């Protein structure tokens, strides 16, 4: 997972103690690294976002996080089958 200082939004959310902001930032970063072709990094961001969502009962963000997780799982399965 990228360090907080690598993403200004994540750094600000962490600095002010906004864990919901951290979850949102992790989801955004996951989407960016998926588009960039780095599923391992994306999975780390999604996993952290899901962890925060569950801890804080962020039910409005959890579907987005689980959708990304399923997308990554599907991509992982497809790449293993084509190898």
């Amino acid at each position: 997972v990228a360090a907080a200082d690598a993403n200004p939004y994540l750094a600000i959310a962490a600095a002010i103690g906004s864990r919901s902001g951290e979850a949102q930032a992790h989801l955004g970063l996951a989407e960016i690294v998926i588009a960039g072709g780095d599923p391992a990094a994306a999975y780390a961001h999604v996993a952290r976002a899901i962890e925060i969502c569950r801890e804080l009962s962020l039910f409005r963000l959890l579907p987005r996080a689980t959708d990304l997780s399923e997308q990554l799982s599907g991509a992982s399965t497809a790449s293993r089958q084509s190898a």
Side-chain angles (χ1 to χ4, degrees):
V1 175
D5 57 315
N7 180 275
Y9 187 69
L10 185 56
I12 291 168
I16 65 172
S18 174
R19 303 224 25 243
S20 63
E22 286 182 58
Q24 291 176 17
H26 280 294
L27 291 175
L29 288 168
E31 290 169 336
I32 290 168
V33 295
I34 287 170
D38 188 353
Y43 184 79
H45 284 295
V46 169
R48 183 65 182 129
I50 289 173
E51 181 181 323
I52 294 169
C53 287
R54 288 184 176 151
E55 287 175 11
L56 301 179
S57 300
L58 297 174
F59 299 118
R60 64 184 172 79
L61 290 179
L62 199 51
R64 180 177 166 203
T66 54
D67 286 348
L68 284 171
S69 179
E70 289 171 6
Q71 178 182 344
L72 289 165
S73 294
S76 167
T77 302
S79 69
R80 281 194 304 267
Q81 290 175 348
S82 66

